[in-house]
Amino acid sequence: MSPAAATAVFTPRSLAALANVCDLAPLPVLDDLTTVRAKAVLADVELLVTGWGCPRLDADVLAAAPRLRAVVHAAGSVRGHITDACWERGVEVSSAAAANALPVAEYTLAMILLHGKHVLERARDFRRTRERADWLLTPHEVGNYRRTVGILSASLIGRRVIELLRPFDHEVLLHDPYVTEAEAAELGVEWVDLPELFGRSDLLSIHTPLLPATHGLVSRELLDAMRPGAVLINTSRGAVVDQDALTDVVRAGRIRAVLDVTDPEVLPADHPLWDCPNALITPHLAGSQGNEWERLADTAVGEVARWAEGDGFAHSVRRERLAFLA
């Protein structure tokens, strides 16, 4: 992984914990697997702990690591570094995607509840007027009682959001083409098709991975079908949404938007969404940050311990599932 990722994720405590369950190769961390030093280390390595910034583990790297049998990724997606050569070697792969899903789901829940109560808009108006409006005149579209929440994709994050919503008085809808109506019912939600999801939801949260099939999935037609004043929350990838169409409907005041991701990742400085009062744009902060990185390290340590004991990974990544993963 990159030295910056190693410093952020692996504290002295987590490095000590890792050293308790395996023989650690000497530091510093490897971020280039083609150097003389890297090849000397790789010659004896049975398991790699990887993270953000890991180079691709291609055939040349594997040739330098004849004993490598497992990779534990202390982050989410493994698409950037796990190659066909790894699968052909039979390398076992684990990911901390489930751990990284937790703060994203927490962010999503917070935004659902804040926007159900119209907190940001009402706080802005309060700051401007310095006067409290008559609370008995609060419109009935404000509040978190019996709101309809739509979840696009029963991914790790989507499922966690569904779990977090259970204590609240919300009706939860789900669209995922790989989940049946019966499976949705087991999750405690109602399966609906895509147009119905957008048409019925008061708040709609996107959790689908960015794949060729999902690029631009949230189209102008779907955005136009949303209820006036509805909220679109995107913590997935910006390119899942038609950015131009989203800009148009938000600027027109039809819907509100919470965007932790956009397309491009940072909008141009003069992009009109920056100045829309009904758009909240955050800098891709929903995923693990700060002390939440410790959860990723703890997950990695746990996986190394399980593998060393012969128990297999708790968070195994399977090759046949890659087409459905971020």
Side-chain angles (χ1 to χ4, degrees):
M1 65 192 76
S2 72
T7 299
V9 175
F10 287 92
T11 64
R13 178 193 67 81
S14 54
L15 282 176
L18 191 57
N20 281 334
V21 297
C22 66
D23 294 325
L24 270 181
L27 296 175
V29 65
L30 297 178
D31 61 344
D32 182 344
L33 302 180
T34 65
T35 66
V36 172
R37 175 181 173 270
K39 290 180 179 179
V41 172
L42 288 173
D44 294 324
V45 162
E46 295 174 283
L47 180 148
L48 278 176
V49 176
T50 61
W52 293 302
C54 180
R56 285 172 58 80
L57 305 180
D58 57 21
D60 289 339
V61 171
L62 293 188
R67 301 179 63 193
L68 180 67
R69 294 188 287 135
V71 174
V72 171
H73 191 49
S77 176
V78 301
R79 284 180 172 273
H81 66 296
I82 298 298
T83 66
D84 287 342
C86 295
W87 302 117
E88 290 160 8
R89 162 81 71 88
V91 173
E92 297 177 74
V93 179
S94 168
S95 164
N100 196 46
L102 299 182
V104 183
E106 291 164 357
Y107 171 102
T108 301
L109 176 65
M111 292 303 166
I112 288 172
L113 296 177
L114 283 170
H115 281 75
K117 201 80 168 179
H118 291 232
V119 167
L120 300 180
E121 302 96 311
R122 296 167 78 188
R124 183 191 64 229
D125 292 343
F126 192 30
R127 179 188 294 269
R128 176 177 54 83
T129 65
R130 268 62 168 184
E131 294 179 357
R132 182 185 176 192
D134 186 344
W135 60 279
L136 287 176
L137 297 179
T138 305
H140 276 244
E141 62 265 22
V142 173
N144 284 306
Y145 180 57
R146 301 180 71 179
R147 311 311 279 167
T148 300
V149 177
I151 304 295
L152 179 54
S153 182
S155 61
L156 286 170
I157 299 169
R159 288 171 185 263
R160 181 60 176 165
V161 172
I162 289 169
E163 290 177 10
L164 293 177
L165 285 170
R166 283 180 185 145
F168 301 96
D169 291 310
H170 290 101
E171 177 186 19
V172 182
L173 310 177
L174 170 69
H175 177 77
D176 188 316
Y178 302 102
V179 173
T180 66
E181 291 186 27
E183 290 168 338
E186 290 179 3
L187 292 173
V189 301
E190 178 186 353
W191 192 97
V192 296
D193 62 23
L194 201 52
E196 187 173 356
L197 184 78
F198 278 78
R200 285 177 57 186
S201 297
D202 297 306
L203 306 104
L204 193 149
S205 193
I206 301 171
H207 300 292
T208 184
L210 179 59
L211 305 169
T214 62
H215 194 282
L217 174 67
V218 180
S219 64
R220 184 178 297 274
E221 182 180 9
L222 290 174
L223 293 169
D224 285 343
M226 295 184 73
R227 295 177 175 182
V231 180
L232 182 79
I233 303 170
N234 190 8
T235 57
S236 175
R237 288 293 184 268
V240 171
V241 181
D242 181 331
Q243 187 73 63
D244 291 339
L246 176 63
T247 301
D248 289 344
V249 295
V250 171
R251 291 185 72 192
R254 284 202 61 256
I255 68 170
R256 295 175 285 158
V258 178
L259 307 174
D260 193 47
V261 289
T262 53
D263 185 24
E265 182 73 10
V266 178
L267 293 174
D270 61 350
H271 197 283
L273 278 180
W274 287 118
D275 298 317
C276 284
N278 52 331
L280 173 64
I281 305 175
T282 56
H284 204 157
L285 56 78
S288 298
Q289 290 192 1
N291 63 22
E292 294 162 343
W293 289 320
E294 295 183 42
R295 184 188 284 123
L296 304 182
D298 290 345
T299 299
V301 171
E303 289 291 74
V304 174
R306 287 180 59 91
W307 188 81
E309 291 292 331
D311 295 332
F313 290 137
H315 303 287
S316 179
V317 179
R318 302 194 307 275
R319 186 180 192 178
E320 63 270 19
R321 291 290 302 164
L322 279 182
F324 308 102
L325 300 176

